[in-house]
Amino acid sequence: MEKKTVFSAVQPSGVPTIGNYVGSIKNWVAMQDEYNCIYSLADLHTLTVKQVPAELRQRSYELLALYLACGIDPEKSIVFAQSHVHQHAELTWVLNTITYPGELQRMTQFKDKSRNHADNINMGLLDYPVLMAADILLYGTDVVPVGIDQKQHLEIARDLAVRFNNRYSPTFVVPEPLIPKVGAKIMSLQDPDKKMSKSDENVNAFISVTDGTDDIVRKFKRAVTDSEAEVRFDEENKKGVSNLLTIYSLFSGKSIPDAEKEFEGKGYGDFKLAVAESVAAVLAPINQEKNKMLADKGYLQSVLKKGMEQAEYLANKMIRKVYKKIGLIEP
Ligand code: AQP
């Protein structure tokens, strides 16, 4: 049986958090043998909020080094920068012509980001899900591993695929989201009602994958919990503690009931320290490897070049097909 295709991406919009890691990158690694995997740096997406050019450039290399350090293997998977494959922007234009503004205006991320960046509510911010649909549909993607925050955007990608296929003829595969059972939405350490985001203004709200042990311990110590002093999973009434238990389970490999037992009768101090240590133990070797990769820019560039060529070959086939179907004359 032919392998199914997986596509996913992270924006180099900041240093990835442990939310990005468990919601996406960690799961990508495990999929490499079973699927044809295509993993991208979503650099065009970052332009939807203001970026400092030199920082964006550096963060893009850092994110690539992180992918590789986490175990993404460019011999098995296609790894590339979105901006290197111009067909992403081209397909976005075509899909824009079958997308209605109302569909985009009701997106939660658009509403949140419009609130957080009130001085820069630009067309790109509104169009973010259409570029994401183009990313996915260009490669005949079957499965998209993402955190739960991206589910709504994936629905748009599915709707656009179906709409195009109905208007012309079957062209796009209708993609399915793959959302992890545990860790699909890691919450902010400062406000457990909000998801953890790499661009949060409060640095104590997130753990970056590059944080050292001291920072990790400090941030977990300050994490918002409750006044009960009972380590119990209850997402309704104990959001902060439940979030920490989820993180502990994901990073220590222990189940949540086992973790609850481990901290029976103990205070939040011991619990928070154990969570911090479990996270630091996973992140330290990844960071070491990432720094090694970053020191070899030539290698990183060669990975991007190979990925660009592989992705462009596939993307070009699809865009030609799309242009033909909609009636554009061949060059
Ligand atoms: N808190 C989270 N828990 C689990 N998964 C998460 N993801 C994001 N936050 C969490 C997943 O990470 C992948 C990459 O996300 P992205 O970089 O494309 O953008 P995002 O979803 O907007 O992530 P951030 O961290 O909130 O970025 P900023 O702050 O720049 O907007 C996606 O699969 C996402 O679901």
Side-chain angles (χ1 to χ4, degrees):
M1 214 174 71
E2 212 176 297
K3 283 184 180 177
K4 289 189 168 180
T5 298
V6 163
F7 179 95
S8 199
V10 172
Q11 301 180 72
S13 50
V15 181
T17 68
I18 54 170
N20 301 129
Y21 175 70
V22 297
S24 64
I25 305 173
K26 183 173 175 236
N27 307 313
W28 300 358
V29 178
M31 303 183 87
Q32 294 182 104
D33 290 320
E34 211 182 314
Y35 296 89
N36 289 322
C37 295
I38 306 175
Y39 298 129
S40 183
L41 308 173
D43 50 0
L44 293 175
H45 272 108
T46 67
L47 306 178
T48 56
V49 304
K50 279 182 196 150
Q51 301 291 337
V52 177
E55 287 176 11
L56 174 59
R57 206 169 291 128
Q58 178 59 21
R59 278 200 309 258
S60 299
Y61 281 115
E62 297 242 0
L63 183 58
L64 172 64
L66 181 72
Y67 283 3
L68 304 179
C70 287
I72 304 296
D73 179 354
E75 295 300 319
K76 290 183 185 166
S77 302
I78 298 179
V79 185
F80 75 105
Q82 186 186 31
S83 62
H84 290 178
V85 179
H86 54 81
Q87 289 84 352
H88 288 249
E90 291 180 53
L91 184 58
T92 301
W93 176 250
V94 173
L95 295 177
N96 270 335
T97 64
I98 59 165
T99 309
Y100 308 110
E103 290 179 290
L104 302 176
Q105 278 156 345
R106 64 179 173 77
M107 291 291 105
T108 308
Q109 181 180 286
F110 174 66
K111 290 189 212 157
D112 285 350
K113 292 213 165 162
S114 298
R115 247 192 319 269
N116 296 340
H117 304 274
D119 59 333
N120 185 26
I121 306 175
N122 61 77
M123 288 300 291
L125 197 58
L126 182 64
D127 211 28
Y128 182 111
V130 182
L131 176 57
M132 179 165 155
D135 296 343
I136 295 166
L137 300 183
L138 262 182
Y139 300 99
T141 303
D142 299 284
V143 183
V144 186
V146 280
I148 214 155
D149 61 315
Q150 293 296 337
K151 189 163 177 256
Q152 221 183 15
H153 291 167
L154 208 80
E155 282 301 321
I156 295 243
R158 289 169 57 84
D159 289 348
L160 292 177
V162 170
R163 199 172 297 162
F164 187 98
N165 290 349
N166 287 341
R167 192 170 297 188
Y168 300 99
S169 63
T171 307
F172 296 126
V173 173
V174 182
E176 295 287 342
L178 184 78
I179 296 172
K181 287 199 183 73
V182 182
K185 193 173 184 185
I186 299 295
M187 309 310 282
S188 154
L189 299 184
Q190 290 298 310
D191 176 0
D193 283 315
K194 241 173 64 181
K195 81 157 186 152
M196 183 181 283
S197 264
K198 58 175 119 59
S199 55
D200 200 310
E201 275 174 10
N202 183 350
V203 293
N204 291 319
F206 55 82
I207 306 285
S208 299
V209 294
T210 53
D211 280 346
T213 305
D214 290 351
D215 284 333
I216 296 174
V217 170
R218 182 178 49 78
K219 289 184 186 182
F220 276 115
K221 270 192 182 160
R222 290 188 186 179
V224 170
T225 47
D226 51 55
S227 52
E228 268 187 17
E230 187 190 358
V231 179
R232 176 167 54 84
F233 191 84
D234 176 351
E235 278 182 310
E236 282 277 300
N237 304 305
K238 292 172 74 71
K239 286 187 178 154
V241 169
S242 301
N243 188 41
L244 295 182
L245 270 169
T246 301
I247 295 171
Y248 185 58
S249 169
L250 286 162
F251 281 87
S252 68
K254 295 176 188 167
S255 71
I256 289 180
D258 282 352
E260 284 174 328
K261 263 187 230 126
E262 188 180 343
F263 296 102
E264 232 168 44
K266 291 186 185 158
Y268 287 161
D270 288 351
F271 172 51
K272 286 177 168 178
L273 190 63
V275 180
E277 282 169 353
S278 72
V279 171
V282 171
L283 296 186
I286 292 179
N287 271 308
Q288 232 176 4
E289 187 60 21
K290 189 203 81 165
N291 290 337
K292 232 193 285 167
M293 297 274 176
L294 257 186
D296 192 352
K297 268 272 173 68
Y299 174 65
L300 295 180
Q301 280 162 344
S302 73
V303 168
L304 287 177
K305 180 168 183 287
K306 179 177 167 204
M308 174 183 75
E309 287 163 0
Q310 292 172 311
E312 194 167 27
Y313 173 77
L314 300 171
N316 194 45
K317 277 211 300 205
M318 182 59 91
I319 202 79
R320 289 279 136 242
K321 193 154 124 186
V322 167
Y323 281 174
K324 199 167 164 193
K325 294 220 180 181
I326 58 184
L328 304 183
I329 51 171
E330 300 227 23

